[in-house]
Amino acid sequence: MASKDTNYINYSKYPIDQFENDVDGKYNYLLQNSIKQINCDGFVSLPSFLLPDAVDKLTACILKLEEDGVGFYSSDSHNVFLDADDQSDAMSPLHPRRIQLDSSKLIINASDLLLAKEAQAPNLDELFMSQRSVLNFISSVMQTKLYPSTDPYGKFYANIFREGDGLNYHFDRSEYSISLILQPSEEGGEFQFLPNSRTIVEGWDEMILDIDDIAEAVAPHSLEMKRPKLAAGDLYLFRGQNSLHRVSEITKGKRINIILTFNTEPDVRLNHYTLQKFFGVI
């Protein structure tokens, strides 16, 4: 991958590089609006954050890796907390900690992305994980100092969802994540999330799977399922550890996105369970 190019980010729309010299107040306006969103829903959408040339180069790089057979096709079952099945006899097989949900996608990990020979593609380490303007902005939005994940496989990775693939209901292991949409699917592949719902789901005796039934169950808590419309180049910040979410099944086309992972402590790495289930690391 190529070195960082400041022309990749849409600074005219998102002046995050002005955080130390916000003469016209545009950075502060962006920041305050983003803080309002994250406090309300645990989610911030930044449409057209990445410029089309960068989107095209990254997409071409990832599709070439897929064509060359790079990546791990994760097709497995998991509970909503992405941890080992609780075998307690006191729990119903349908309990959120016991029920097994199916997910599938092709994952290209950070190590493989960095070794890609597409010289024109942006270097994700330099563009997002170590760039001061990005780190300052996301820390300010989340209102806590964030550190990039140092996991060699999961600090960032590409997801390719083909027809029939999807990511079932779960809470993230990482406290915070950033997702960059490169290619929405033609049909299906909708990102759906239930803001600030972890405590509620932890109290369920049985996992609810139908989206309408979930809506009915959480209505007394003044919660509703969010379904943001996301397009190529959009970036979103998400508190995925606190919000139940999924990517619905792809029914036409491919959905491609990149996940960038951040935590409130330095040097955080994925646990063995997650590495094995989703990255094929034994």
Side-chain angles (χ1 to χ4, degrees), residues 14 36 44 54 57 64 93 115 119 125 134 141 144 151 197 202 208 228:
Y14 301 106
K36 184 178 180 180
V44 177
K57 288 175 178 177
K64 181 63 167 62
L115 291 174
D125 246 340
V134 172
V141 171
T144 187
D151 192 278
S197 53
E202 285 177 337
I208 304 170

mmCIF file of all heavy atoms in Angstrom, residues 14 36 44 54 57 64 93 115 119 125 134 141 144 151 197 202 208 228:
data_model
loop_
_atom_site.group_PDB
_atom_site.id
_atom_site.type_symbol
_atom_site.label_atom_id
_atom_site.label_comp_id
_atom_site.label_asym_id
_atom_site.label_seq_id
_atom_site.Cartn_x
_atom_site.Cartn_y
_atom_site.Cartn_z
ATOM 1 N N TYR A 14 -14.934 17.947 6.036
ATOM 2 C CA TYR A 14 -14.614 17.555 7.408
ATOM 3 C C TYR A 14 -13.232 18.109 7.779
ATOM 4 O O TYR A 14 -12.219 17.405 7.647
ATOM 5 C CB TYR A 14 -14.642 16.038 7.546
ATOM 6 C CG TYR A 14 -15.983 15.441 7.192
ATOM 7 C CD1 TYR A 14 -16.178 14.755 5.992
ATOM 8 C CD2 TYR A 14 -17.070 15.592 8.048
ATOM 9 C CE1 TYR A 14 -17.415 14.224 5.666
ATOM 10 C CE2 TYR A 14 -18.311 15.068 7.722
ATOM 11 C CZ TYR A 14 -18.483 14.384 6.536
ATOM 12 O OH TYR A 14 -19.711 13.870 6.218
ATOM 13 N N LYS A 36 -22.994 15.265 19.824
ATOM 14 C CA LYS A 36 -24.439 15.143 20.057
ATOM 15 C C LYS A 36 -24.956 13.808 19.534
ATOM 16 O O LYS A 36 -25.751 13.127 20.198
ATOM 17 C CB LYS A 36 -25.162 16.311 19.382
ATOM 18 C CG LYS A 36 -26.656 16.344 19.637
ATOM 19 C CD LYS A 36 -27.297 17.558 18.986
ATOM 20 C CE LYS A 36 -28.795 17.592 19.233
ATOM 21 N NZ LYS A 36 -29.433 18.792 18.595
ATOM 22 N N VAL A 44 -22.040 7.830 14.962
ATOM 23 C CA VAL A 44 -21.867 9.061 14.195
ATOM 24 C C VAL A 44 -21.607 8.687 12.744
ATOM 25 O O VAL A 44 -20.703 7.902 12.451
ATOM 26 C CB VAL A 44 -20.681 9.912 14.704
ATOM 27 C CG1 VAL A 44 -20.494 11.153 13.836
ATOM 28 C CG2 VAL A 44 -20.895 10.318 16.154
ATOM 29 N N ALA A 54 -9.741 7.608 -3.468
ATOM 30 C CA ALA A 54 -9.254 6.716 -2.414
ATOM 31 C C ALA A 54 -10.153 5.494 -2.274
ATOM 32 O O ALA A 54 -9.676 4.368 -2.079
ATOM 33 C CB ALA A 54 -9.161 7.462 -1.093
ATOM 34 N N LYS A 57 -9.387 3.103 -5.131
ATOM 35 C CA LYS A 57 -8.094 2.429 -4.992
ATOM 36 C C LYS A 57 -8.145 1.344 -3.913
ATOM 37 O O LYS A 57 -7.612 0.247 -4.100
ATOM 38 C CB LYS A 57 -7.003 3.449 -4.682
ATOM 39 C CG LYS A 57 -6.637 4.334 -5.863
ATOM 40 C CD LYS A 57 -5.638 5.420 -5.475
ATOM 41 C CE LYS A 57 -5.247 6.261 -6.677
ATOM 42 N NZ LYS A 57 -4.341 7.372 -6.316
ATOM 43 N N LYS A 64 -8.614 -7.370 -5.575
ATOM 44 C CA LYS A 64 -7.469 -8.109 -6.131
ATOM 45 C C LYS A 64 -6.971 -9.144 -5.133
ATOM 46 O O LYS A 64 -6.636 -10.289 -5.512
ATOM 47 C CB LYS A 64 -6.343 -7.137 -6.480
ATOM 48 C CG LYS A 64 -5.106 -7.802 -7.104
ATOM 49 C CD LYS A 64 -5.453 -8.465 -8.439
ATOM 50 C CE LYS A 64 -4.208 -8.845 -9.242
ATOM 51 N NZ LYS A 64 -3.356 -9.817 -8.549
ATOM 52 N N PRO A 93 -31.217 -23.023 26.385
ATOM 53 C CA PRO A 93 -30.404 -23.035 25.153
ATOM 54 C C PRO A 93 -30.617 -21.792 24.286
ATOM 55 O O PRO A 93 -29.809 -21.507 23.411
ATOM 56 C CB PRO A 93 -30.872 -24.298 24.425
ATOM 57 C CG PRO A 93 -31.466 -25.151 25.493
ATOM 58 C CD PRO A 93 -32.070 -24.209 26.489
ATOM 59 N N LEU A 115 0.603 -5.813 3.317
ATOM 60 C CA LEU A 115 1.540 -6.445 2.386
ATOM 61 C C LEU A 115 1.066 -6.380 0.940
ATOM 62 O O LEU A 115 1.765 -6.823 0.037
ATOM 63 C CB LEU A 115 1.749 -7.916 2.782
ATOM 64 C CG LEU A 115 2.522 -8.160 4.088
ATOM 65 C CD1 LEU A 115 2.532 -9.644 4.419
ATOM 66 C CD2 LEU A 115 3.939 -7.616 3.999
ATOM 67 N N ALA A 119 0.388 -0.463 -5.099
ATOM 68 C CA ALA A 119 1.162 0.673 -4.593
ATOM 69 C C ALA A 119 0.341 1.954 -4.465
ATOM 70 O O ALA A 119 0.706 2.858 -3.717
ATOM 71 C CB ALA A 119 2.367 0.924 -5.499
ATOM 72 N N ASP A 125 -2.642 2.195 7.998
ATOM 73 C CA ASP A 125 -1.937 2.526 9.232
ATOM 74 C C ASP A 125 -1.653 4.021 9.295
ATOM 75 O O ASP A 125 -1.898 4.682 10.307
ATOM 76 C CB ASP A 125 -0.618 1.747 9.318
ATOM 77 C CG ASP A 125 -0.615 0.733 10.449
ATOM 78 O OD1 ASP A 125 -1.437 0.875 11.378
ATOM 79 O OD2 ASP A 125 0.202 -0.197 10.412
ATOM 80 N N VAL A 134 -6.899 12.504 12.838
ATOM 81 C CA VAL A 134 -7.915 11.469 12.991
ATOM 82 C C VAL A 134 -8.022 11.037 14.449
ATOM 83 O O VAL A 134 -9.124 10.952 15.015
ATOM 84 C CB VAL A 134 -7.598 10.254 12.089
ATOM 85 C CG1 VAL A 134 -8.554 9.107 12.391
ATOM 86 C CG2 VAL A 134 -7.683 10.638 10.618
ATOM 87 N N VAL A 141 -14.661 13.174 19.886
ATOM 88 C CA VAL A 141 -16.059 12.778 19.715
ATOM 89 C C VAL A 141 -16.470 11.791 20.805
ATOM 90 O O VAL A 141 -17.544 11.919 21.410
ATOM 91 C CB VAL A 141 -16.284 12.166 18.321
ATOM 92 C CG1 VAL A 141 -17.688 11.561 18.223
ATOM 93 C CG2 VAL A 141 -16.097 13.205 17.233
ATOM 94 N N THR A 144 -13.083 10.624 25.259
ATOM 95 C CA THR A 144 -12.106 9.854 26.022
ATOM 96 C C THR A 144 -10.899 9.617 25.128
ATOM 97 O O THR A 144 -11.035 9.561 23.901
ATOM 98 C CB THR A 144 -12.696 8.507 26.489
ATOM 99 O OG1 THR A 144 -11.768 7.860 27.352
ATOM 100 C CG2 THR A 144 -12.996 7.589 25.317
ATOM 101 N N ASP A 151 -3.364 -5.050 17.659
ATOM 102 C CA ASP A 151 -3.463 -6.437 17.211
ATOM 103 C C ASP A 151 -3.007 -6.539 15.758
ATOM 104 O O ASP A 151 -3.523 -5.822 14.896
ATOM 105 C CB ASP A 151 -4.905 -6.929 17.337
ATOM 106 C CG ASP A 151 -5.007 -8.428 17.155
ATOM 107 O OD1 ASP A 151 -5.037 -8.880 15.990
ATOM 108 O OD2 ASP A 151 -5.028 -9.135 18.162
ATOM 109 N N SER A 197 -27.969 -0.914 24.255
ATOM 110 C CA SER A 197 -28.913 -1.984 24.586
ATOM 111 C C SER A 197 -28.283 -3.160 25.329
ATOM 112 O O SER A 197 -28.970 -4.138 25.619
ATOM 113 C CB SER A 197 -29.560 -2.510 23.291
ATOM 114 O OG SER A 197 -28.564 -2.885 22.342
ATOM 115 N N GLU A 202 -28.682 -8.367 28.193
ATOM 116 C CA GLU A 202 -28.132 -9.226 29.255
ATOM 117 C C GLU A 202 -29.216 -9.705 30.214
ATOM 118 O O GLU A 202 -29.060 -10.728 30.874
ATOM 119 C CB GLU A 202 -27.044 -8.476 30.021
ATOM 120 C CG GLU A 202 -25.735 -8.355 29.249
ATOM 121 C CD GLU A 202 -24.681 -7.553 30.001
ATOM 122 O OE1 GLU A 202 -25.062 -6.735 30.871
ATOM 123 O OE2 GLU A 202 -23.479 -7.738 29.718
ATOM 124 N N ILE A 208 -34.061 -12.775 21.418
ATOM 125 C CA ILE A 208 -35.084 -12.434 20.437
ATOM 126 C C ILE A 208 -34.381 -12.148 19.114
ATOM 127 O O ILE A 208 -33.435 -11.371 19.065
ATOM 128 C CB ILE A 208 -35.891 -11.204 20.899
ATOM 129 C CG1 ILE A 208 -36.500 -11.464 22.280
ATOM 130 C CG2 ILE A 208 -36.975 -10.865 19.885
ATOM 131 C CD1 ILE A 208 -37.116 -10.235 22.919
ATOM 132 N N PRO A 228 -29.243 3.129 9.458
ATOM 133 C CA PRO A 228 -28.672 4.233 8.676
ATOM 134 C C PRO A 228 -28.363 3.815 7.247
ATOM 135 O O PRO A 228 -27.914 2.708 6.989
ATOM 136 C CB PRO A 228 -27.388 4.567 9.443
ATOM 137 C CG PRO A 228 -27.032 3.298 10.156
ATOM 138 C CD PRO A 228 -28.344 2.665 10.528
#
